[in-house]
Amino acid sequence: MDKITDLAAQAGQALQQRGLLLTTAESCTGGGVAHAITEIAGCSDWFDCGFVTYSNASKTALLDIPDALIARHGAVSEEVAAAMAAGALANSNAHIALSTTGIAGPGGAVPGKPVGTVCFGWSMHSASRTERKVFDGDRHSVREQTVAHALQGLLRLLGHS
């Protein structure tokens, strides 16, 4: 079992033990987190749905993120990652959400946000957190590291290291 599949299985166990449903809101990972989760047999017991909101317009339409928030902070920001997680919760039956938004490359870098910059959001009940990371490597590597980190953050939120 590879690292990502193992993390997804651990997340599933932790969610199922607590009777929680997960939703995802993904941009730079293009559904990679949802894909990892749905590789786990029985995930329908703990996974509600995933939103792939690659464009800013889809973030607004599907996750209710105000255009002004994206204009003020940029799509790759902790503020937008937090809003993505909150929007996924509001538009699903889930109890917990994770989000990813970033610059996987090879293009797309802007001042202060190099290729590999990814912002994450995790939200459950009243607890939410965000994080910004900069990963090294090519597009595939950045996306793979992002999926793994998103699942690790979910496990931390659920009290598993």
Side-chain angles (χ1 to χ4, degrees):
M1 186 178 296
D2 71 14
K3 177 183 178 179
I4 289 175
T5 304
D6 184 52
L7 288 168
Q10 288 177 49
Q13 250 182 348
L15 289 160
Q16 194 163 17
Q17 286 171 353
R18 289 166 179 74
L20 299 175
L21 282 175
L22 173 69
T23 184
T24 59
E26 301 179 67
S27 185
C28 64
T29 47
V33 177
H35 175 79
I37 288 164
T38 57
E39 287 289 305
I40 308 303
C43 65
S44 59
D45 291 339
W46 48 271
F47 183 58
D48 184 43
C49 64
F51 298 88
V52 178
T53 55
Y54 211 76
S55 69
N56 291 346
S58 67
K59 287 174 181 66
T60 298
L62 298 174
L63 300 175
D64 306 319
I65 299 176
D67 289 325
L69 184 72
I70 296 170
R72 187 176 318 116
H73 299 286
V76 180
S77 64
E78 289 184 64
E79 292 82 0
V80 169
M84 288 172 68
L89 281 178
N91 289 287
S92 71
N93 294 314
H95 309 100
I96 188 167
L98 68 80
S99 65
T100 62
T101 182
I103 305 166
V110 296
K113 295 179 187 176
V115 168
T117 301
V118 181
C119 295
F120 299 86
W122 298 272
S123 187
M124 177 174 77
H125 310 301
S126 59
S128 61
R129 60 184 290 262
T130 61
E131 190 173 357
R132 179 183 189 262
K133 300 280 284 181
V134 179
F135 297 113
D136 290 324
D138 64 9
R139 181 177 182 80
H140 175 77
S141 177
V142 167
R143 288 165 48 112
E144 193 170 78
Q145 291 172 80
T146 299
V147 170
H149 191 77
L151 292 168
Q152 289 165 336
L154 174 62
L155 286 166
R156 281 192 300 274
L157 187 64
L158 292 167
H160 288 70
S161 334

